[in-house]
């Protein structure tokens, strides 16, 4: 089972290249399922039912979120009714939506878990305790599991990888929008990468125009971070999961530019 996990989609440029690339990869048989982080898909902040539907229509099977989950006003009711979109499970239990879901593909089912980190992030429950709870009491034991750990600190992400090694098929980080060079298979068979990268405008500051971000850094004054235009890039990883053992057999980084 080849599962493509796609890095944070930023605004319309990210949605545009996703819609260009994913149908081609799926129709060619190169991948069997797509998990995509889309917490920045609506104008660079949050998600809407409309932006989610664009991604689903293009071939997304599950959408994961993160710290920008609530940036759009109608997200709560949408998450309650759409089981293919998951928000971090260690948000307060009273929050709308769910933190994990099941995916059905022609070659088998798998589960997707969404967790958010605590280092340099807004307060949330312990991600390690929460993922343990899900694996012990919620998620079936007879399916592969992939985990989106939406976190800022590299060390926290690496710890989560080792914490889940041999217990899930893959752990991938999102949030920092820069693809890391540490894709690997951990000692007990879990595929891992610290950050998938970004799906959005390549010549940008993490998907945003240079000038307002520079103004904020250089003056400390507030500025509106507009989504950059121009050519986009899609980044992520393909985890090739053994359907019998649920171990990952290979991890292949993906970086595809518009027009290639």
């Amino acid at each position: 089972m080849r599962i493509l996990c796609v890095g944070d989609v930023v605004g319309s440029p990210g949605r545009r290249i996703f819609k260009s690339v994913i149908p081609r990869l799926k129709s060619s048989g190169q991948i069997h399922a797509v998990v995509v982080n889309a917490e920045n898909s609506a104008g660079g902040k949050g998600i809407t039912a409309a932006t989610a539907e664009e991604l689903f229509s293009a071939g997304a099977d599950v959408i994961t979120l993160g710290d920008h989950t609530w940036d759009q006003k109608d997200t709560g009711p949408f998450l309650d009714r759409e089981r293919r979109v998951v928000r971090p499970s260690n948000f307060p239990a009273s929050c709308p939506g769910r933190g994990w879901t099941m995916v059905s593909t022609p070659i088998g089912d798998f589960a997707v878990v969404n967790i958010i980190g605590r280092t340099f992030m807004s307060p949330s429950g312990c991600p390690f305790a929460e993922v343990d709870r899900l694996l012990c009491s919620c998620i079936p034991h007879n399916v592969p599991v992939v985990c989106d750990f939406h976190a800022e600190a590299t060390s926290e992400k690496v710890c989560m990888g080792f914490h889940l090694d041999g217990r899930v098929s893959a752990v991938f980080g999102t949030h920092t929008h820069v693809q890391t060079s540490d894709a690997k298979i951990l000692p007990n068979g879990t595929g891992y990468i610290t950050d998938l990268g970004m799906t959005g405008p390549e010549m940008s500051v993490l998907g945003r125009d240079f000038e307002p971000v520079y103004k904020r850094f250089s003056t400390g004054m507030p500025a509106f971070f507009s989504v950059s235009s121009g050519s986009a890039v899609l980044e992520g990883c393909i985890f090739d999961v053994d359907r019998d053992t649920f171990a990952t057999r290979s991890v292949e980084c993906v970086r595809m530019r518009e027009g290639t």
Side-chain angles (χ1 to χ4, degrees), residues 151-228:
E152 180 77 33
T154 297
S155 55
E156 191 178 17
K157 293 180 181 181
V158 172
C159 280
M160 183 61 78
F162 283 112
H163 179 67
L164 293 178
D165 184 22
R167 303 167 63 199
V168 303
S169 297
V171 177
F172 54 89
T174 56
H175 179 67
T176 58
H177 291 210
V178 176
Q179 189 178 81
T180 53
S181 62
D182 61 342
K184 55 181 169 283
I185 299 174
L186 297 175
N188 295 311
T190 293
Y192 175 83
I193 187 170
T194 295
D195 202 282
L196 294 174
M198 179 189 72
T199 299
E202 184 173 21
M203 296 302 170
S204 66
V205 182
L206 307 186
R208 308 307 180 107
D209 284 326
F210 165 75
E211 288 296 340
V213 181
Y214 172 73
K215 176 184 176 181
R216 178 69 176 270
F217 279 129
S218 60
T219 69
M221 297 294 291
F224 175 72
F225 291 175
S226 50
V227 174
S228 187

Side-chain angles (χ1 to χ4, degrees), residues 112-139:
V112 178
V113 174
N114 195 185
I115 303 290
I116 196 167
R118 295 199 292 187
T119 305
F120 310 127
M121 303 284 274
S122 298
S124 61
C126 175
F128 300 94
E130 177 62 13
V131 75
D132 287 349
R133 183 189 71 84
L134 293 177
L135 292 174
C136 289
S137 61
C138 299
I139 299 172

Side-chain angles (χ1 to χ4, degrees), residues 17-251:
I17 190 170
F18 187 91
K19 292 186 290 183
S20 171
V21 168
I22 298 305
R24 175 160 40 101
L25 291 180
K26 271 198 160 180
S27 64
S28 69
Q30 296 180 60
I31 56 175
H32 301 117
V34 177
V35 179
V36 55
N37 186 288
E39 68 143 10
N40 298 126
S41 61
K45 292 189 71 175
I47 189 170
T48 65
T51 59
E53 186 52 42
E54 278 191 63
L55 301 176
F56 286 135
S57 296
D61 293 285
V62 171
I63 291 173
T64 59
L65 301 174
D67 56 309
H68 291 293
T69 294
W70 313 119
D71 285 1
Q72 299 291 325
K73 63 179 181 179
D74 295 327
T75 303
F78 166 60
L79 292 188
D80 273 338
R81 67 176 183 268
E82 179 52 81
R83 300 193 64 85
R84 294 175 295 174
V85 180
V86 290
R87 47 82 172 163
S89 188
N90 52 326
F91 280 173
S94 59
C95 289
R98 58 202 54 81
W100 73 279
T101 194
M102 292 290 297
V103 183
S104 294
T105 79
I107 64 169
D109 298 345
F110 68 98
V112 178
V113 174
N114 195 185
I115 303 290
I116 196 167
R118 295 199 292 187
T119 305
F120 310 127
M121 303 284 274
S122 298
S124 61
C126 175
F128 300 94
E130 177 62 13
V131 75
D132 287 349
R133 183 189 71 84
L134 293 177
L135 292 174
C136 289
S137 61
C138 299
I139 299 172
H141 294 164
N142 61 343
V143 296
V145 179
V146 300
C147 177
D148 177 354
F149 188 34
H150 194 82
E152 180 77 33
T154 297
S155 55
E156 191 178 17
K157 293 180 181 181
V158 172
C159 280
M160 183 61 78
F162 283 112
H163 179 67
L164 293 178
D165 184 22
R167 303 167 63 199
V168 303
S169 297
V171 177
F172 54 89
T174 56
H175 179 67
T176 58
H177 291 210
V178 176
Q179 189 178 81
T180 53
S181 62
D182 61 342
K184 55 181 169 283
I185 299 174
L186 297 175
N188 295 311
T190 293
Y192 175 83
I193 187 170
T194 295
D195 202 282
L196 294 174
M198 179 189 72
T199 299
E202 184 173 21
M203 296 302 170
S204 66
V205 182
L206 307 186
R208 308 307 180 107
D209 284 326
F210 165 75
E211 288 296 340
V213 181
Y214 172 73
K215 176 184 176 181
R216 178 69 176 270
F217 279 129
S218 60
T219 69
M221 297 294 291
F224 175 72
F225 291 175
S226 50
V227 174
S228 187
S229 58
S231 181
V233 62
L234 181 146
E235 295 178 329
C237 269
I238 298 173
F239 297 93
D240 189 346
V241 177
D242 189 298
R243 287 185 290 164
D244 294 322
T245 67
F246 305 155
T248 289
R249 302 188 298 187
S250 67
V251 183

